[in-house]
């Protein structure tokens, strides 16, 4: 390149720096998401090795802790929730949250799994529940939290079943009463009366896709830098 010299344009330099910084930031974010998924899967695996404990009305889920637990009671099929914006294998749907009236008093929210959404958002799926006394095992954990919480009032009166957007413990207690424990019970996959359940497994919890996305963002940044350098060599004047 004896007849050419490196003379980048300032606007190109600024644009490259901004875009590269954004791509690297997105790559780092995807790496962190992958690590979070891997850690969550490890907590499910560790919990599966321990015996379940009996759930009581005063139970409280510790942040970051997943436990095996056992519940007994009767489902209340008249006051169910549908957690919105939940996908499974890229298909949109809901998670079905059903209150269980504990045999010794109190209430706990049971996640019975994922169900697909109808193409018509105004048409909700039927949500039958097992009748009579039920007893089953599952995982006990804190409520799921979104990456960005929308400004919605999950406690506002609405017909049942209600569609909600990641309700907090306070919002659930507003709906069901102050005796509600602070957590969510995930019904085991082999328990009848539920929907799609892949706790601790399945593509939605795999960190590999996040690592792949991170690699793509870092590759895009490298290609952009290469193009910037190559195009910045111009003939000497």
């Amino acid at each position: 390149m004896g007849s050419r010299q490196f003379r980048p344009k300032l606007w190109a330099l600024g644009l490259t720096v901004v875009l590269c910084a954004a791509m690297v930031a997105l790559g780092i974010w995807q790496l962190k998401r992958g690590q979070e998924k891997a850690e969550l899967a490890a907590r499910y695996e560790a919990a599966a090795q321990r015996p379940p404990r009996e759930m009581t009305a005063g139970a409280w889920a510790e942040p970051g802790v997943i436990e095996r637990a056992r519940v007994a009671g009767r489902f209340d099929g008249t006051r169910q929730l549908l957690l919105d914006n939940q996908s499974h294998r890229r298909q949109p749907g809901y998670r079905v949250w059903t209150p269980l009236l504990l045999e010794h008093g109190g209430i706990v929210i049971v996640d019975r799994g994922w169900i697909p959404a109808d193409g018509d958002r105004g048409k909700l799926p039927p949500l039958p529940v097992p009748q009579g006394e039920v007893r089953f095992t599952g995982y006990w954990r804190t409520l799921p939290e979104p990456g960005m919480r929308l400004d919605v009032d999950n406690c506002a009166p609405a017909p049942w079943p209600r569609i909600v957007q990641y309700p907090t413990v306070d919002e659930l207690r507003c709906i069901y009463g102050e005796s509600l424990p602070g957590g969510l019970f995930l019904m085991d996959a082999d328990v009848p009366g539920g929907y799609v359940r892949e706790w601790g497994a399945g593509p939605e919890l795999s960190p590999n896709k996040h690592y792949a996305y991170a690699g793509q963002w870092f590759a895009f940044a490298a290609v952009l830098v290469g193009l910037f350098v190559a195009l910045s060599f111009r003939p000497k004047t």
Side-chain angles (χ1 to χ4, degrees), residues 40-50 66 68 139:
L40 183 59
R43 289 201 294 272
Y44 274 111
E45 184 177 353
Q49 307 305 315
R50 296 189 291 269
I66 297 175
R68 292 290 293 160
Y139 292 95

Side-chain angles (χ1 to χ4, degrees), residues 81 83 97 143-144 149 154 164-169 171-172 175:
L81 302 177
L83 181 63
W97 288 8
L143 294 171
R149 188 174 294 279
N154 289 308
V164 293
Q165 304 281 348
Y166 289 99
T168 63
V169 173
E171 287 175 326
L172 289 179
I175 296 172

Side-chain angles (χ1 to χ4, degrees), residues 136-205:
F136 53 89
T137 56
Y139 292 95
W140 175 243
R141 54 160 296 174
T142 53
L143 294 171
E145 296 184 4
M148 180 177 65
R149 188 174 294 279
L150 300 177
D151 186 18
V152 296
D153 183 7
N154 289 308
C155 190
W160 298 101
R162 295 184 185 180
I163 297 178
V164 293
Q165 304 281 348
Y166 289 99
T168 63
V169 173
D170 288 339
E171 287 175 326
L172 289 179
R173 286 180 171 171
C174 172
I175 296 172
Y176 294 110
E178 291 298 322
S179 63
L180 186 79
L184 181 67
F185 194 96
L186 311 181
M187 176 192 284
D188 275 349
D190 59 353
V191 177
Y195 305 99
V196 178
R197 289 156 285 171
E198 293 181 336
W199 318 129
E204 302 302 325
L205 203 60

Side-chain angles (χ1 to χ4, degrees), residues 36-153:
E36 291 171 358
K37 292 288 184 68
E39 292 170 359
L40 183 59
R43 289 201 294 272
Y44 274 111
E45 184 177 353
Q49 307 305 315
R50 296 189 291 269
R53 69 181 181 91
E54 200 72 27
M55 277 290 300
T56 61
W60 188 273
E62 296 295 331
V65 177
I66 297 175
E67 301 178 86
R68 292 290 293 160
R70 181 186 297 108
V71 291
R74 292 175 178 270
F75 280 117
D76 180 0
T78 65
R79 298 189 298 162
Q80 300 190 78
L81 302 177
L82 290 170
L83 181 63
D84 202 3
N85 298 316
Q86 304 299 301
S87 63
H88 177 71
R89 302 184 188 277
R90 299 186 178 181
Q91 183 177 1
Y94 310 98
R95 300 208 75 87
V96 180
W97 288 8
T98 306
L100 181 74
L101 309 178
L102 299 174
E103 63 178 356
H104 299 302
I107 184 174
V108 66
I109 301 301
V110 176
D111 188 331
R112 296 199 290 138
W114 177 89
I115 192 170
D118 190 275
D120 180 1
R121 290 279 296 177
K123 183 180 179 181
L124 299 181
L127 304 172
V129 300
Q131 298 301 306
E133 190 81 12
V134 294
R135 180 181 294 271
F136 53 89
T137 56
Y139 292 95
W140 175 243
R141 54 160 296 174
T142 53
L143 294 171
E145 296 184 4
M148 180 177 65
R149 188 174 294 279
L150 300 177
D151 186 18
V152 296
D153 183 7

